[in-house]
Amino acid sequence: MLIFLDIDGVMVPAKGWKSPELLNDGFPAFSSKATIALNQLISDNDTIMENPVKLTP
């Protein structure tokens, strides 16, 4: 299984009238429902995680 993570609007729910909850490290908190669903998906040993964004140093 190949999973692409959509951070804006899925892992971090977007509400135009409200800023997302920020954690102590300054990053937004993930949706608990999305986190539970992701944990269920990646608990299978056949899942491959890939980041489509290539960061350059």
Side-chain angles (χ1 to χ4, degrees):
M1 177 184 301
L2 181 60
I3 299 173
F4 291 96
L5 294 180
D6 181 2
I7 302 298
D8 296 331
V10 177
M11 293 303 294
V12 178
K15 296 177 183 170
W17 67 91
K18 183 178 177 184
S19 295
E21 174 190 352
L22 296 180
L23 302 174
N24 291 337
D25 60 6
F27 289 96
F30 285 170
S31 158
S32 60
K33 289 180 182 179
T35 303
I36 290 168
L38 179 60
N39 282 330
Q40 289 174 345
L41 288 171
I42 63 176
S43 65
D44 181 4
N45 290 334
D46 295 331
T47 303
I48 298 169
M49 300 286 290
E50 181 175 313
N51 182 353
V53 178
K54 304 297 182 197
L55 301 177
T56 56

